[in-house]
Amino acid sequence: GENVEQHPSTLSVQEGDSAVIKCTYSDSASNYFPWYKQELGKRPQLIIDIRSNVGEKKDQRIAVTLNKTAKHFSLHITETQPEDSAVYFCAASRYTNAGKSTFGDGTTLTVKP
Amino acid sequence: DAGVTQSPTHLIKTRGQQVTLRCSPISGHKSVSWYQQVLGQGPQFIFQYYEKEERGRGNFPDRFSARQFPNYSSELNVNALLLGDSALYLCASSLVDRGNTGELFFGEGSRLTVL
C-alpha cells in the first residue's frame, strides 16, 4: 500500500519568514496530493492540492511543488503570519478515489511574532 | 449549508464495550470516509462508502465495521474496545463527479476514550 513520510515534524519560524514542509510517497499510482491544515481542536481543512499532471500550483502565499520522478512534494508558505501556526498534513491518493487517502504524520508549524 | 456533522463529540467507554459513531455528510455528497487519528499522528484510513457500498477498507481488524444509509449518512461501529482504540474518529465527505472523489470535507470528529 501507499506510505507517506513527512518532514520535519516540528518547524518554528519568525513572522515574515518562509516555511517549507516536505513529503515523500511510495506508490507511483498516486496522482493526487492535497495539503490539510488542522488548528488545535479543529477539523483538518484543505488548503491546496495538486494533481500529477502539473509540477507546481500557487494560491497567494501558499504553493505546492511536485516531483513525480523522485516521488516527493512540498508545501511552501511565504510571508508567514502567526495565524499560519497549526499542524499541516500532506496526503496522497489516486484522484479517482481521494476518499481513501494516506496521510503523513503532520508538521507542527509555529510562527513567532 | 451545514458542514459534515458527527456525533457524539466526546465519549468515554471501558474495555470490551461497543461504540457507534455517526456522521452526516454535506448535502449532495455521496461518498463518506472514516479515519482514525491518534494523538500526534496523521489520520489513518478506516473505511470509505459510496452509494451505500463499501469502496475501501484500511488495515483495521474486523472489530471495526461501518455502513451507509439511503440518505448517505454513515455509522462506524467498533466492538470489543481496546485501550488502543482511543483516538479522534474523523468522518469526511466528498462530492463524486464523474467517478472522481474530490476534496475531502472533514467533520469535527468524535473523540473516543477507552478506559
Side-chain angles (χ1 to χ4, degrees):
Chain A
E2 175 67 277
N3 182 52
V4 176
E5 294 190 357
Q6 183 172 346
H7 300 279
S9 57
T10 61
L11 180 59
S12 181
V13 299
Q14 287 295 133
E15 182 177 359
D17 287 351
S18 295
V20 180
I21 304 170
K22 298 181 179 181
C23 288
T24 60
Y25 63 98
S26 61
D27 188 353
S28 57
S30 291
N31 57 9
Y32 178 62
F33 307 95
W35 287 87
Y36 293 86
K37 176 182 181 181
Q38 187 174 30
E39 297 178 3
L40 191 62
K42 299 204 172 178
R43 69 188 78 192
Q45 290 192 292
L46 180 75
I47 55 171
I48 195 167
D49 57 9
I50 191 169
R51 295 178 64 177
S52 62
N53 57 347
V54 297
E56 183 175 4
K57 184 177 178 180
K58 290 183 179 180
D59 183 2
Q60 299 183 343
R61 297 186 296 108
I62 294 173
V64 57
T65 58
L66 171 66
N67 183 325
K68 286 189 296 182
T69 303
K71 294 197 188 71
H72 66 71
F73 56 111
S74 301
L75 177 70
H76 304 253
I77 305 175
T78 59
E79 301 173 16
T80 54
Q81 301 167 4
E83 50 265 38
D84 294 329
S85 297
V87 180
Y88 291 82
F89 293 98
C90 63
S93 71
R94 301 182 189 191
Y95 185 71
T96 52
N97 196 7
K100 187 182 175 183
S101 291
T102 300
F103 284 77
D105 279 340
T107 296
T108 301
L109 173 64
T110 303
V111 181
K112 299 177 181 178
Chain B
D1 282 340
V4 177
T5 57
Q6 292 186 241
S7 63
T9 55
H10 296 82
L11 68 166
I12 299 173
K13 294 284 186 178
T14 57
R15 282 176 296 176
Q17 285 190 311
Q18 175 264 342
V19 67
T20 298
L21 309 177
R22 296 175 177 82
C23 172
S24 293
I26 291 172
S27 178
H29 286 194
K30 298 180 179 180
S31 173
V32 171
S33 297
W34 287 95
Y35 289 84
Q36 181 195 65
Q37 186 176 22
V38 174
L39 195 61
Q41 296 182 17
Q44 187 172 1
F45 173 73
I46 309 175
F47 285 109
Q48 184 194 11
Y49 276 79
Y50 174 61
E51 291 282 14
K52 303 181 289 292
E53 292 190 1
E54 184 182 299
R55 198 173 178 183
R57 170 188 281 259
N59 188 23
F60 281 80
D62 291 343
R63 300 184 295 107
F64 288 76
S65 63
R67 56 179 174 168
Q68 187 176 34
F69 298 98
N71 65 353
Y72 304 111
S73 66
S74 178
E75 286 183 352
L76 175 70
N77 294 284
V78 187
N79 294 321
L81 286 167
L82 303 174
L83 296 179
D85 295 331
S86 295
L88 180 68
Y89 289 85
L90 293 164
C91 173
S93 74
S94 58
L95 182 67
V96 179
D97 178 28
R98 289 173 288 182
N100 295 319
T101 306
E103 174 184 350
L104 293 183
F105 292 84
F106 284 90
E108 296 283 2
S110 294
R111 183 164 297 282
L112 171 65
T113 301
V114 181
L115 302 176

